[in-house]
Amino acid sequence: MATKQKIWIDGRGREVPPCYVGKYDKARDKAVRHVLAGALKLRSQMEAFMADAVKTMNGLADVKESLGKRGNFSARSFDALIQVSINQRWHIRFDERVAKARELMLDYANRELKRAGDGAYLLSQMIEAAFKVDRLGFLPRTEVAKLLSYKVDDASWNAGADILRQAQTTERGKRYLSIEQRGSLQADFRPIRLDISDCWPTEESEAVNG
């Protein structure tokens, strides 16, 4: 019984007889499929590891009753040479009222700029920085908090600050797992980088594997 030959499909979705598929094309196809299979296997292992790590740390957090609501949590080994942390990121999102708040606060800075000069110019730069969104559409949390902490005796500024407070909502961002270790109590913790780009083979390992 004849073995059924592999059906080759090109980039346009057309069937190509095996005899018309070049040696390099076959080698290239085999190579990328081999790498993909390894990547999918590794991804599955990483997902299983993350699920287990988060479950383990959440279980530990439950043991420590004084923690309360889960958020940032860190734990060390008994010898203090291993540290595992879960960090919760938070984002501040603002609605359309933020434009009015910026207008009012800049109004104060511009009026002061005409009178005080350099000091007010620095304030106007800080306002502009606080209202500059990042690539995800969020305002910088630290800069906004800094503006709202100022005590200013000006109706326009205070109106803008009140609008800014009312316009903001806090959203839970990503959670991050970090694993660190050190060789002694005098050494600094060094992270275990779970980054595939950090695992590039050295010349020595390439020579061994080659």
Side-chain angles (χ1 to χ4, degrees), residues 70-73 86-90 172-176:
R70 291 175 187 165
N72 294 344
F73 181 58
I86 290 183
N87 299 306
Q88 176 68 63
R89 294 285 181 88
W90 295 90
R172 185 187 297 271
K174 288 184 176 180
R175 298 178 76 195
Y176 293 88

Side-chain angles (χ1 to χ4, degrees), residues 8-64:
W8 291 83
I9 307 296
D10 68 11
R12 297 182 180 180
R14 301 173 302 185
E15 292 188 8
V16 178
C19 59
Y20 290 113
V21 180
K23 181 178 179 180
Y24 173 74
D25 290 328
K26 292 179 179 178
R28 180 184 62 185
D29 186 83
K30 181 179 179 180
V32 298
R33 292 183 187 280
H34 172 77
V35 174
L36 173 64
L40 292 176
K41 181 179 179 180
L42 178 60
R43 172 72 186 194
S44 178
Q45 292 172 337
M46 290 179 68
E47 289 176 350
F49 161 73
M50 284 296 292
D52 178 69
V54 171
K55 180 180 179 181
T56 300
M57 294 301 288
N58 283 343
L60 181 61
D62 288 337
V63 173
K64 191 173 182 180

Side-chain angles (χ1 to χ4, degrees), residues 19-140:
C19 59
Y20 290 113
V21 180
K23 181 178 179 180
Y24 173 74
D25 290 328
K26 292 179 179 178
R28 180 184 62 185
D29 186 83
K30 181 179 179 180
V32 298
R33 292 183 187 280
H34 172 77
V35 174
L36 173 64
L40 292 176
K41 181 179 179 180
L42 178 60
R43 172 72 186 194
S44 178
Q45 292 172 337
M46 290 179 68
E47 289 176 350
F49 161 73
M50 284 296 292
D52 178 69
V54 171
K55 180 180 179 181
T56 300
M57 294 301 288
N58 283 343
L60 181 61
D62 288 337
V63 173
K64 191 173 182 180
E65 297 177 357
S66 60
L67 267 179
K69 188 176 181 180
R70 291 175 187 165
N72 294 344
F73 181 58
S74 181
R76 290 186 180 181
S77 59
F78 192 69
D79 60 9
L81 299 180
I82 305 168
Q83 178 169 277
V84 179
S85 306
I86 290 183
N87 299 306
Q88 176 68 63
R89 294 285 181 88
W90 295 90
H91 300 293
I92 298 178
R93 186 178 291 280
F94 294 84
D95 61 31
E96 65 281 357
R97 289 175 291 181
V98 72
K100 184 62 178 180
R102 174 180 176 276
E103 177 188 328
L104 291 169
M105 298 174 91
L106 276 177
D107 173 67
Y108 166 74
N110 290 332
R111 280 188 280 111
E112 288 297 304
L113 184 59
K114 294 178 181 179
R115 296 188 301 177
D118 293 342
Y121 176 74
L122 177 59
L123 177 59
S124 67
Q125 293 296 101
M126 293 173 63
I127 295 172
E128 291 290 4
F131 285 94
K132 185 176 181 180
V133 298
D134 62 16
R135 60 184 181 85
L136 299 176
F138 295 103
L139 295 184

